[in-house]
Amino acid sequence: MASLDAAASTTATFEVTLASGGGEAIAGEVELAVDAAGSCVEHLTVPVPLRLNVDDVPAASATDHFDAIPSVWSLDGGGADHVWRQEAQSALDRAWHGRDVGSGSDTALVSPPLRAGSGAVTIAFDHRFEFESSLQPGGVVNFDGGVIEVTTDGGATWDDISTVAAPGYTGTITDQSDNPLPGRDAYVAQNPSAPGTDRVTLDLGTRLSGKTFQLRFRIVTDGGVGALGWIIDDVVTTGVGKPFPEQVGDVQCEGGPGAGSDTGGCCSTGTTPGRDGGAAALLGLGVLAAVAGRRRRRR
């Protein structure tokens, strides 16, 4: 238990002992109780999801479920940390969420470098989106939106993905005032299955054969009202090898690499990252809780 001044932060660290046997990843959760006498919400309980008995194996999968921590995707653009978060749907299930903020922004979620082989390349993903849109006397005005772009020169230049594949954009950004991409085709308003998700498959064929490329999911907003934004999950690729990490259950500790250490190895467990849903909720209170667990070596 800790007492904090307004806007102060602290770190809580404790050990978690797991029963021996089994190699499955475990979804854990702790609850943080916050008492703030005299505030708008005097008593608040915040759930913090924990990954236990987990290893993240690098470069092990052609699919990125966005569950590994840290993510191999990076953020680009001023204030991107404010817009994009790797949010926990549950302890073992995460997705990237780019918010449609109520202020001007131009940010992106950028893939790691992907190397196309000699065959066809496809990239599929699940998404849900809701961007600010309004029915005006002259028709529908789409104030904000999201686009997918591709680079083959390390990010020096970016082209819309529609130059190499059909993304299935839902309209055009029609705001002519302060949106960074007026007139661009984009994902606007809501996805067809909202509040459910839709599956998008980008068939790049052999257009990028032999090239190293990157994708980025880019959100552009004006200075007005915000909305849910863009939730992206389960990126599945073909033709680019296995560039993504895979979340797996921890191996048995006895005799395994790193047994009994705190530096990663088979006895380590997952930690709660600064951008997941639990930590984000704590930051909203001006409280930061960094929670770590360690699996003890079995005898």
Side-chain angles (χ1 to χ4, degrees):
M1 180 178 295
S3 297
L4 301 176
D5 294 330
S9 64
T10 189
T11 299
T13 304
F14 57 90
E15 292 189 359
V16 176
T17 301
L18 304 179
S20 62
E24 298 292 329
I26 298 173
E29 184 175 283
V30 298
E31 289 187 343
L32 178 68
V34 179
D35 293 323
S39 66
C40 295
V41 180
E42 293 192 345
H43 307 285
L44 182 65
T45 300
V46 182
V48 181
L50 294 177
R51 301 189 310 154
L52 301 173
N53 207 53
V54 167
D55 279 340
D56 292 325
V57 182
S61 179
T63 297
D64 198 343
H65 296 290
F66 297 146
D67 299 333
I69 301 172
S71 175
V72 294
W73 294 65
S74 60
L75 303 183
D76 185 41
D81 282 332
H82 177 62
V83 175
W84 291 92
R85 291 192 178 100
Q86 187 186 6
E87 292 184 344
Q89 317 299 308
S90 66
L92 300 177
D93 181 18
R94 284 170 169 75
W96 275 101
H97 180 190
R99 296 189 302 133
D100 181 359
V101 295
S103 58
S105 70
D106 184 353
T107 64
L109 176 68
V110 185
S111 78
L114 306 173
R115 177 70 178 180
S118 59
V121 173
T122 64
I123 298 174
F125 60 92
D126 293 327
H127 72 161
R128 172 192 173 193
F129 59 85
E130 180 185 344
F131 293 107
E132 182 195 3
S133 181
S134 176
L135 179 61
Q136 304 287 342
V140 175
V141 177
N142 297 311
F143 296 96
D144 306 328
V147 298
I148 304 174
E149 296 177 325
V150 61
T151 181
T152 57
D153 56 13
T157 59
W158 292 88
D159 296 313
D160 195 272
I161 195 64
S162 60
T163 60
V164 290
Y169 289 146
T170 55
T172 303
I173 297 173
T174 50
D175 175 30
Q176 300 296 317
S177 56
D178 59 349
N179 187 293
L181 297 178
R184 278 276 293 267
D185 288 342
Y187 297 119
V188 296
Q190 290 185 323
N191 62 295
S193 300
T197 61
D198 286 292
R199 188 72 170 169
V200 174
T201 300
L202 304 172
D203 185 357
L204 282 68
T206 56
R207 298 173 186 86
L208 300 179
S209 178
K211 295 181 179 180
T212 297
F213 68 98
Q214 290 173 274
L215 293 180
R216 70 178 182 184
F217 296 94
R218 181 181 178 188
I219 290 177
V220 289
T221 66
D222 69 357
V225 177
L228 170 72
W230 200 358
I231 299 174
I232 303 165
D233 202 2
D234 296 335
V235 174
V236 180
T237 66
T238 62
V240 296
K242 295 182 177 181
F244 303 119
E246 184 174 6
Q247 174 183 265
V248 299
D250 213 344
V251 298
Q252 300 298 318
C253 281
E254 292 180 1
S261 75
D262 296 329
T263 57
C266 72
C267 291
S268 65
T269 65
T271 59
T272 300
R275 286 197 297 267
D276 77 6
L282 304 186
L283 288 170
L285 298 168
V287 178
L288 174 62
V291 184
R294 185 178 69 223
R295 180 176 180 175
R296 289 182 178 172
R297 185 174 182 176
R298 292 200 315 276
R299 296 177 180 177

